Amino acid sequence: IKRVLVLRNAVTGAASFSNKGINITLQALKEAYPALEVIDRDLTVKQVPILPEEIVGAIQQFKVETEVQKRADALATELIEEIKSVDLIVIGLPRYNFGAPATFKAYIDFICRPGVSFKYGANGPEGLLPNVPVWGVMSAGGLYGEDQYHKWLNVVLSFVGLKTIKFLPIEGVGMGKAEEALATFSASVATSVKEL
């Protein structure tokens, strides 16, 4: 492992359990791979825009006539190239109202580009991105296990070619189980790093 892409999505910054989980993960990775290069993208600070009609044209149809479209096209290209350049992706995924943060949904809308990250073949959609392993650091106040949130992530990431997905939960933090959840998470990360 030489390079990792980190995607942070928590609006609560350093207090966020998904960010704490990311930091634990990065520490373990850097201990195992001292020369590791990290692209740390905080999507709550440098947000990807939602898709109004003008930007949809740039992302889906490659219309780059206006300055807004040119910026959207350049950002989509940058995000996709980041994925292609790394050996591992670590995504902080807090559970907001039973689903993904809007910041991550906007990111997904920008990386789903026809002919670039996916295409439709004779048997349906085909992901075009390299199958970079993805670790989802999933934090929640309650205890949910694997549910529709996980299913959506599997579908949308596989759609663009990211099919090797591991979920690393930090659950029950709103139920007085934060220390226990972080200890279990740390052990899971240590095992996952050894398996790389």
Side-chain angles (χ1 to χ4, degrees):
I1 297 289
K2 295 181 179 177
R3 200 173 198 212
V4 60
L5 171 62
V6 171
L7 301 173
R8 297 179 188 263
N9 290 285
V11 296
T12 51
S16 155
F17 282 93
S18 66
N19 280 339
K20 288 177 183 179
I22 286 172
N23 294 340
I24 290 167
T25 303
L26 288 178
Q27 182 178 348
L29 285 168
K30 287 177 179 177
E31 286 173 5
Y33 304 95
L36 185 71
E37 182 183 347
V38 179
I39 303 170
D40 201 333
R41 184 177 281 275
D42 190 333
L43 295 171
T44 68
V45 175
K46 193 174 180 183
Q47 294 185 354
V48 175
I50 59 168
L51 291 181
E53 184 177 359
E54 186 176 21
I55 292 180
V56 169
I59 302 300
Q60 300 294 323
Q61 301 156 2
F62 303 93
K63 288 173 63 176
V64 287
E65 298 162 358
T66 69
E67 286 305 312
V68 170
Q69 289 173 333
K70 288 175 184 174
R71 285 194 300 272
D73 176 69
L75 178 57
T77 300
E78 178 184 344
L79 298 176
I80 289 169
E81 290 305 313
E82 280 181 351
I83 292 170
K84 291 178 178 179
S85 74
V86 299
D87 306 300
L88 176 67
I89 302 168
V90 178
I91 308 173
L93 293 163
R95 179 181 292 261
Y96 291 159
N97 300 315
F98 304 98
T103 50
F104 186 65
K105 177 60 170 69
Y107 175 88
I108 290 294
D109 289 341
F110 264 65
I111 66 165
C112 289
R113 300 194 83 181
V116 177
S117 60
F118 74 93
K119 69 177 181 179
Y120 285 99
N123 298 315
E126 300 172 21
L128 300 177
L129 296 183
N131 187 16
V132 178
V134 176
W135 291 359
V137 178
M138 302 188 73
S139 62
L143 299 170
Y144 296 94
E146 291 204 15
D147 62 2
Q148 78 282 352
Y149 190 4
H150 299 77
K151 289 176 186 172
W152 175 76
L153 288 163
N154 271 314
V155 169
V156 74
L157 294 173
S158 295
F159 182 73
V160 295
L162 303 172
K163 298 181 179 180
T164 307
I165 305 162
K166 177 177 280 195
F167 297 116
L168 300 166
I170 307 172
E171 291 195 326
V173 298
M175 301 167 60
K177 300 178 182 289
E179 283 187 34
E180 178 186 336
L182 284 172
T184 301
F185 173 83
S186 296
S188 296
V189 167
T191 300
S192 298
V193 170
K194 287 176 185 174
E195 292 172 349
L196 279 174

